[in-house]
Amino acid sequence: ACPRASVVADAANVTKFRDGPGRDLTDVLVEGEFVDLLVQCKYGKNVVNIDLQVAVAGVRGPANRSRAAEFEYFVAIADPARNIVAKELFKARFQFADNDPRVVQLEELEPRIPLADVFKAPDYEIFIGFQLTEAELAWNRARRKN
């Protein structure tokens, strides 16, 4: 059994706006969301090697003229008491075709959990989410309330 992996609800999506005060549909540069997760484990003597596949979608907004986008996201590992024992940031980069505003790509990661007792690995958790600014987090929370 592997550690359970889940996407943090408040960090499951990200909406990036162009500079300025506007926050309507025409101001959206890009939106991102996690589409799927797959976790597989390989046990070593004192380590659990995790094959983590994260499907990330990017949707180009009307304000995006570059046809490119980049999101920063995190993978964090929590111990059985839910203390974060490791966290790493990654970047997902997107290029949009002229006629396709949505791109889904697979990010393949290989976190390692060193453990004296590898049989405790299922008691750990893996959390995934976008690394948000305070404004992006507030936007997500306001949207979830509606």
Side-chain angles (χ1 to χ4, degrees):
C2 289
R4 188 175 55 121
S6 61
V7 176
V8 177
D10 282 346
N13 301 298
V14 63
T15 302
K16 299 212 175 270
F17 295 96
R18 67 175 153 201
D19 290 338
R23 292 295 175 260
D24 65 23
L25 179 64
T26 62
D27 299 308
V28 174
L29 288 169
V30 67
E31 295 177 289
E33 70 175 320
F34 293 102
V35 178
D36 200 7
L37 299 173
L38 175 65
V39 180
Q40 296 178 321
C41 295
K42 295 178 192 140
Y43 286 85
K45 183 176 179 177
N46 291 318
V47 68
V48 179
N49 296 303
I50 299 168
D51 178 17
L52 177 61
Q53 296 178 4
V54 181
V56 184
V59 179
R60 186 172 65 94
N64 184 318
R65 302 288 178 233
S66 71
R67 301 196 186 283
E70 180 178 283
F71 300 115
E72 191 170 44
Y73 66 97
F74 64 85
V75 174
I77 298 172
D79 67 14
R82 297 193 73 147
N83 299 308
I84 301 297
V85 295
K87 178 181 175 184
E88 192 169 349
L89 297 176
F90 300 92
K91 291 189 189 284
R93 293 176 175 89
F94 294 88
Q95 283 296 133
F96 299 99
D98 289 346
N99 59 349
D100 193 359
R102 181 177 165 89
V103 175
V104 177
Q105 66 187 36
L106 189 63
E107 301 281 316
E108 296 188 51
L109 310 167
E110 296 179 349
R112 297 169 48 111
I113 304 174
L115 294 173
D117 182 359
V118 294
F119 295 106
K120 294 191 182 229
D123 297 334
Y124 283 68
E125 291 184 73
I126 301 169
F127 296 110
I128 295 131
F130 288 105
Q131 188 68 33
L132 304 174
T133 65
E134 289 292 327
E136 290 166 345
L137 180 60
W139 176 263
N140 283 359
R141 287 178 174 164
R143 285 178 62 186
R144 285 182 63 202
K145 287 180 183 176
N146 295 335

